[in-house]
Amino acid sequence: MKAVGSASTRGVSRRIKGVLAGGVGGGRVGLGRLPLLVREYSNGEKSLKERFAEVFPSKAEEIKQFKKQHGKVAIGQVLLEQAYGGMRGIPGIVWEGSVLDPHEGIRFRGRTIAEIQQELPKAADGQEPLPEALFWLLLTGEVPTETQAKALSADLMSRSELPEHVIRLLDGLPKDLHPMAQFSIAVTALESESKFAKAYAQGVAKKDYWNYTFEDSLDLLGKLPVIASKIYRNVFKDGKIGAVDPNADYGKNLGHLLGFQNKEFVDLMRLYLSVHSDHEGGNVSAHTTHLVGSALSSPYLSFAAGMNGLAGPLHGRANQEVLEWLFKLREEVKGDYSKETIEAYLWNTLKSGRVIPGYGHAVLRKTDPRYTAQREFALRHFPDYDLFKLVSAVYEVAPGVLQQHGKTKNPWPNVDSHSGVLLQYYGLTEGSFYTVLFGVSRAFGVLPQLIIDRAVGTAIERPKSFSTEKFKELVAKITATSS
């Protein structure tokens, strides 16, 4: 059995391994020596690794001085209800790539979704930002040039080859095992390829941790389209996938490997991967990846842990639940998408003790900008699609119903309200696979932070916990003092 990937890609992958050989003992790993990257950077522009190596020392020093000068400043007050309520709103995680404002929505390194759609490099045949360009932005804070983005695309695709044992593992899994479980299993099995784990075992210096974390992160990112597509084709199709195109961008390769040649679908993949990539560090998948990585587990093990969190119905699987709810709604109203009919259905849903899937958010207090970006995509490409019309009808009615209901802090739609509808239109109808696509996307957000964590020497995460009895003692002492 041959490893999955094109012959050209496998050749570049072997050259990467050749360059890295001998580097574990502390030697500098330089991808810039690869013929492919030398050719792409012939105008003298620097690679992502070179730019990060230049950027992070000053950032690390800035953080060091910031902690030294202001480390004793109280940055928040913790309420007892927050301890019992999932720690919501407690400031306690450093996350450089994105910040979520309740009213503005997500900002990636200070840029809104609309701004990254405008500013980031795009493929020659597309209108949406390249997710690999977003990766560059999240890691360095800089917008790459088209040349740099294209070279990073080629670098990632050169790393796409899967070890034979991972292919055999995926082929041997039962088809009825949830795709997210298969996804996590495959990523965990890639630990065999971890350059960080091998370097750590040989005593690499702490200052070089980021180097091997960077290599693992890009290796993993390059392999995810093949893993995801292999799972999709195994579970829902004939098990066969095509070859990686080393000259194509990430989104195009993912779309084609899944079996979709439509140019609009490919552009949707670019948008989907970008808007689902990062959403602060406190969500389950991001926080788990960060937490496990803080123990110096490799990027493979850290990301696999995050994916086990993403698989939950309260997190990444929510878009699947939205779609199932929409299908029931469509069947019930039988084509009548009037305000009165939709409103009656929503009230029946709420009065029966159920929620309206896809509405509400732990932080946001407005329409999710990720929802808006996907809605605008649909308006451009298929405004008359029946399921999109239904989603639009719900959007017109649901916020008012939820406000009147009074039990939802945020009555506006989130990202999950829309993503499944887009995929349905282009024929990717298997809802249980949607979270795997979310997982591929989330890698673009969590892996840059892992690299940054190792570069600045972030400590192992270890918050303090109390039993209920201890909390009672603490509350009694506080209330006695204040009375």
Side-chain angles (χ1 to χ4, degrees), residues 325-401:
W325 179 81
L326 283 172
F327 288 152
K328 291 178 182 177
L329 169 57
R330 183 173 62 179
E331 182 180 350
E332 184 79 18
V333 301
K334 295 180 172 53
D336 180 4
Y337 297 167
S338 66
K339 177 181 178 181
E340 293 75 18
T341 301
I342 298 296
E343 186 173 337
Y345 187 88
L346 296 180
W347 275 115
N348 288 337
T349 298
L350 294 171
K351 289 176 181 177
S352 67
R354 293 171 290 161
V355 300
I356 299 176
Y359 281 75
H361 192 274
V363 178
L364 279 171
R365 296 297 176 263
K366 62 168 285 185
T367 297
D368 191 336
R370 300 173 298 173
Y371 174 96
T372 303
Q374 293 180 103
R375 175 174 171 78
E376 290 173 350
F377 185 95
L379 285 170
R380 286 197 304 273
H381 296 294
F382 46 85
D384 296 324
Y385 176 42
D386 180 66
L387 204 54
F388 172 62
K389 286 183 175 181
L390 180 57
V391 168
S392 297
V394 174
Y395 182 38
E396 292 294 323
V397 177
V401 170

Side-chain angles (χ1 to χ4, degrees), residues 14-318:
R14 284 192 291 271
R15 291 200 294 276
I16 288 176
K17 292 176 182 176
V19 171
L20 293 175
V24 169
R28 188 173 185 274
V29 178
L31 291 178
R33 288 179 285 171
L34 291 174
L36 174 65
L37 293 184
V38 170
R39 187 164 61 248
E40 292 289 349
Y41 286 75
S42 59
N43 64 352
E45 292 189 78
K46 294 184 176 178
S47 70
L48 174 57
K49 191 169 191 180
E50 289 170 328
R51 278 304 297 144
F52 183 72
E54 292 177 344
V55 167
F56 93 79
S58 61
K59 181 65 177 179
E61 182 60 28
E62 176 188 342
I63 293 171
K64 180 181 178 181
Q65 292 303 318
F66 183 59
K67 289 193 299 182
K68 183 177 180 181
Q69 294 174 22
H70 305 290
K72 301 300 182 182
V73 174
I75 59 173
Q77 183 183 37
V78 179
L79 303 177
L80 183 65
E81 65 182 19
Q82 290 177 297
Y84 282 94
M87 299 190 293
R88 292 193 178 191
I90 299 174
I93 300 173
V94 178
W95 197 264
E96 304 291 1
S98 66
V99 174
L100 180 58
D101 182 89
H103 304 290
E104 286 190 346
I106 193 69
R107 282 183 177 267
F108 301 105
R109 291 287 188 167
R111 292 170 170 83
T112 65
I113 286 178
E115 288 169 342
I116 69 162
Q117 286 181 292
Q118 180 66 31
E119 296 177 23
L120 291 186
K122 303 171 178 60
D125 59 350
Q127 302 178 53
E128 301 298 340
L130 293 172
E132 46 268 62
L134 180 62
F135 184 89
W136 186 300
L137 173 66
L138 293 176
L139 184 59
T140 67
E142 302 171 345
V143 173
T145 65
E146 289 187 12
T147 300
Q148 289 172 323
K150 184 177 180 181
L152 180 56
S153 298
D155 185 9
L156 291 172
M157 293 304 98
S158 76
R159 301 166 183 256
S160 63
E161 182 180 3
L162 295 184
E164 288 193 18
H165 75 86
V166 175
I167 299 170
R168 290 195 299 270
L169 177 62
L170 286 171
D171 286 341
L173 294 174
K175 288 188 175 184
D176 59 355
L177 179 64
H178 195 282
M180 275 303 285
Q182 299 193 34
F183 191 59
S184 174
I185 288 169
V187 172
T188 300
L190 284 173
E191 177 70 2
S192 62
E193 310 303 297
S194 175
K195 297 179 176 73
F196 178 85
K198 293 179 175 67
Y200 187 84
Q202 295 189 24
V204 66
K206 287 184 179 180
K207 65 181 179 63
D208 291 327
Y209 284 176
W210 76 267
N211 200 346
Y212 299 96
T213 301
F214 180 97
E215 292 300 325
D216 275 2
S217 295
L218 265 66
D219 283 346
L220 173 56
L221 203 58
K223 290 171 171 51
L224 290 181
V226 180
I227 292 174
S229 301
K230 186 65 175 163
I231 293 169
Y232 179 73
R233 302 296 300 184
N234 277 356
V235 174
F236 303 109
K237 305 297 179 181
D238 59 4
K240 299 176 182 178
I241 68 173
V244 168
D245 180 354
N247 298 311
D249 63 87
Y250 199 96
K252 179 177 282 190
N253 266 304
L254 176 58
H256 289 182
L257 288 171
L258 289 170
F260 297 85
Q261 302 295 320
N262 184 291
K263 286 178 62 176
E264 289 180 10
F265 180 85
V266 166
D267 222 23
L268 172 61
M269 287 295 94
R270 297 172 184 133
L271 175 65
Y272 188 101
L273 293 172
S274 296
V275 301
H276 285 82
S277 61
D278 204 23
H279 215 231
E280 272 197 342
N283 65 77
V284 171
S285 56
H287 184 195
T288 303
T289 304
H290 167 77
L291 170 64
V292 175
S294 78
L296 297 186
S297 297
S298 77
Y300 296 103
L301 297 181
S302 303
F303 182 69
M307 292 303 95
N308 289 333
L310 188 71
L314 294 183
H315 192 15
R317 211 180 81 190

